[in-house]
Amino acid sequence: MQFFALLRPLGAFVGSALVMACSHRDAPIAGPEPAPPAAREDRREAGPLRLAAAVEEKDAGVNPPSAPPPSLTGRTVLLVGDSMVGNPGLAKGLDAHFASEGAKFVHDFKVSESIQSFDKSARLRRLMEKHHPDIVIVTLGVNDATVPYPQALATNVQNIVKRVGARECYWMGPPSWKKETALISVIRDNALPCKFFDSSQLKLARAGDGVHPTDRGGADWADYFWTFFRSPAKTDAAPQ
């Protein structure tokens, strides 16, 4: 009995030690304090904000503003061709556009003029000797719309362009009024280095003959060409 009485205090001590050991093993390991809500929000947004700023900065260098078109102050512009050039809306519209930027605008035309007849005449040479234009705009082709083999006009187009020389040059194609032939392609392919303005698909108000634009139609034509003329990157396509 005395032996068991001595074991009771020892058992109590061992039990207490075991309880303390288990309590210490199961206690959670303390970690860093969680970030407050505001701090977590800042970290979440910092990445996208920095990325957006970097993209904006990159775009600013890749896409610089377009350079303004060259000044027309003091320059002379000659528009020459067939009866389309004599349209009051076209001539007045282009005159207003060029004059607004300090250029002198002159125009000359002959009724029923064709590409071939213009090539054989001395009109272009005389006009350039008289006005000394810096820019030449040729408007021919409407009287050639029914030519069965327009490819035969390729040499005539080339000859006209050669007479323009090194001047800045544009060829305004005719606003089509009959079923399209290969004429537009012949002019475009042989008018280089002149820039070609395709008028064939423009919707213009027409006079009673169904061919010539009205004054309003001519003014719209002038506006279309001006937009093309002042475009930083000119292409052989007119606005629809």
Side-chain angles (χ1 to χ4, degrees):
M1 292 297 291
Q2 292 180 352
F3 173 75
F4 288 108
L6 292 173
L7 288 178
R8 286 193 193 99
L10 179 61
F13 173 80
V14 172
S16 299
L18 290 174
V19 170
M20 290 179 64
C22 292
S23 298
H24 179 73
R25 182 190 60 195
D26 294 337
I29 299 173
E33 288 289 330
R40 289 198 299 270
E41 190 72 17
D42 288 345
R43 283 202 300 268
R44 187 174 64 250
E45 294 183 357
L49 287 176
R50 284 197 297 268
L51 178 60
V55 170
E56 183 177 354
E57 181 179 355
K58 179 181 179 182
D59 287 346
V62 173
N63 300 310
S66 299
S71 172
L72 296 174
T73 301
R75 306 186 78 186
T76 298
V77 181
L78 170 64
L79 171 65
V80 62
D82 52 38
S83 57
M84 291 291 183
V85 175
N87 179 278
L90 177 64
K92 289 181 180 178
L94 289 178
D95 189 8
H97 282 303
F98 282 107
S100 69
E101 296 205 16
K104 177 184 177 182
F105 177 81
V106 293
H107 69 284
D108 182 90
F109 68 97
K110 181 181 178 181
V111 176
S112 300
E113 187 80 281
S114 69
I115 292 174
Q116 190 176 56
S117 63
F118 187 79
D119 176 26
K120 293 181 178 180
S121 75
R123 283 181 58 222
L124 181 58
R125 176 179 58 79
R126 290 197 300 263
L127 288 167
M128 292 196 298
E129 290 175 352
K130 179 180 179 180
H131 299 290
H132 303 286
D134 302 288
I135 302 171
V136 175
I137 305 171
V138 178
T139 305
L140 289 168
V142 70
N143 295 309
D144 303 279
T146 58
V147 172
Y149 303 104
Q151 186 60 42
L153 300 173
T155 301
N156 302 113
V157 173
Q158 295 169 9
N159 291 340
I160 294 169
V161 171
K162 287 177 183 177
R163 293 192 186 99
V164 174
R167 296 173 177 84
E168 185 177 349
C169 176
Y170 299 84
W171 193 302
M172 292 180 66
S176 298
W177 58 280
K178 285 184 176 292
K179 185 177 180 180
E180 187 55 58
T181 66
L183 176 65
I184 302 302
S185 297
V186 170
I187 297 174
R188 176 190 288 112
D189 295 343
N190 292 277
L192 295 172
C194 295
K195 294 179 177 64
F196 179 72
F197 176 71
D198 188 358
S199 306
S200 63
Q201 301 302 313
L202 295 180
K203 304 298 187 294
L204 304 175
R206 306 275 181 160
D209 63 2
V211 179
H212 295 83
T214 62
D215 288 357
R216 179 67 261 170
D220 290 340
W221 193 11
D223 290 343
Y224 282 130
F225 176 78
W226 180 256
T227 299
F228 168 83
F229 177 78
R230 273 328 216 176
S231 173
K234 298 179 179 69
T235 59
D236 294 344
Q240 302 297 314

mmCIF file with all atom_site columns, all heavy atoms in Angstrom, residues 134 145 164 180 210:
data_model
loop_
_atom_site.group_PDB
_atom_site.id
_atom_site.type_symbol
_atom_site.label_atom_id
_atom_site.label_alt_id
_atom_site.label_comp_id
_atom_site.label_asym_id
_atom_site.label_entity_id
_atom_site.label_seq_id
_atom_site.pdbx_PDB_ins_code
_atom_site.Cartn_x
_atom_site.Cartn_y
_atom_site.Cartn_z
_atom_site.occupancy
_atom_site.B_iso_or_equiv
_atom_site.pdbx_formal_charge
_atom_site.auth_seq_id
_atom_site.auth_comp_id
_atom_site.auth_asym_id
_atom_site.auth_atom_id
_atom_site.pdbx_PDB_model_num
ATOM 1  N N   . ASP A 1 134 ? 3.627   75.647 -109.609 1.00 0.00 ? 134 ASP A N   1
ATOM 2  C CA  . ASP A 1 134 ? 4.357   74.735 -108.736 1.00 0.00 ? 134 ASP A CA  1
ATOM 3  C C   . ASP A 1 134 ? 3.646   73.381 -108.659 1.00 0.00 ? 134 ASP A C   1
ATOM 4  O O   . ASP A 1 134 ? 4.271   72.354 -108.422 1.00 0.00 ? 134 ASP A O   1
ATOM 5  C CB  . ASP A 1 134 ? 4.469   75.323 -107.325 1.00 0.00 ? 134 ASP A CB  1
ATOM 6  C CG  . ASP A 1 134 ? 5.155   76.674 -107.329 1.00 0.00 ? 134 ASP A CG  1
ATOM 7  O OD1 . ASP A 1 134 ? 6.379   76.702 -107.539 1.00 0.00 ? 134 ASP A OD1 1
ATOM 8  O OD2 . ASP A 1 134 ? 4.463   77.692 -107.128 1.00 0.00 ? 134 ASP A OD2 1
ATOM 9  N N   . ALA A 1 145 ? -14.564 57.961 -122.198 1.00 0.00 ? 145 ALA A N   1
ATOM 10 C CA  . ALA A 1 145 ? -15.245 56.875 -121.488 1.00 0.00 ? 145 ALA A CA  1
ATOM 11 C C   . ALA A 1 145 ? -15.751 55.787 -122.419 1.00 0.00 ? 145 ALA A C   1
ATOM 12 O O   . ALA A 1 145 ? -15.926 54.640 -121.999 1.00 0.00 ? 145 ALA A O   1
ATOM 13 C CB  . ALA A 1 145 ? -16.395 57.439 -120.664 1.00 0.00 ? 145 ALA A CB  1
ATOM 14 N N   . VAL A 1 164 ? 4.675   67.749 -117.712 1.00 0.00 ? 164 VAL A N   1
ATOM 15 C CA  . VAL A 1 164 ? 4.568   68.383 -116.389 1.00 0.00 ? 164 VAL A CA  1
ATOM 16 C C   . VAL A 1 164 ? 5.948   68.481 -115.754 1.00 0.00 ? 164 VAL A C   1
ATOM 17 O O   . VAL A 1 164 ? 6.255   69.421 -115.027 1.00 0.00 ? 164 VAL A O   1
ATOM 18 C CB  . VAL A 1 164 ? 3.605   67.586 -115.486 1.00 0.00 ? 164 VAL A CB  1
ATOM 19 C CG1 . VAL A 1 164 ? 3.598   68.162 -114.073 1.00 0.00 ? 164 VAL A CG1 1
ATOM 20 C CG2 . VAL A 1 164 ? 2.195   67.605 -116.072 1.00 0.00 ? 164 VAL A CG2 1
ATOM 21 N N   . GLU A 1 180 ? -18.398 51.148 -116.495 1.00 0.00 ? 180 GLU A N   1
ATOM 22 C CA  . GLU A 1 180 ? -16.948 51.265 -116.361 1.00 0.00 ? 180 GLU A CA  1
ATOM 23 C C   . GLU A 1 180 ? -16.189 50.412 -117.384 1.00 0.00 ? 180 GLU A C   1
ATOM 24 O O   . GLU A 1 180 ? -16.569 49.286 -117.676 1.00 0.00 ? 180 GLU A O   1
ATOM 25 C CB  . GLU A 1 180 ? -16.520 50.856 -114.946 1.00 0.00 ? 180 GLU A CB  1
ATOM 26 C CG  . GLU A 1 180 ? -15.065 51.113 -114.659 1.00 0.00 ? 180 GLU A CG  1
ATOM 27 C CD  . GLU A 1 180 ? -14.693 52.555 -114.924 1.00 0.00 ? 180 GLU A CD  1
ATOM 28 O OE1 . GLU A 1 180 ? -15.294 53.436 -114.321 1.00 0.00 ? 180 GLU A OE1 1
ATOM 29 O OE2 . GLU A 1 180 ? -13.821 52.775 -115.780 1.00 0.00 ? 180 GLU A OE2 1
ATOM 30 N N   . GLY A 1 210 ? -26.850 64.307 -117.440 1.00 0.00 ? 210 GLY A N   1
ATOM 31 C CA  . GLY A 1 210 ? -26.439 63.109 -116.735 1.00 0.00 ? 210 GLY A CA  1
ATOM 32 C C   . GLY A 1 210 ? -24.939 62.891 -116.698 1.00 0.00 ? 210 GLY A C   1
ATOM 33 O O   . GLY A 1 210 ? -24.468 61.873 -116.193 1.00 0.00 ? 210 GLY A O   1
#
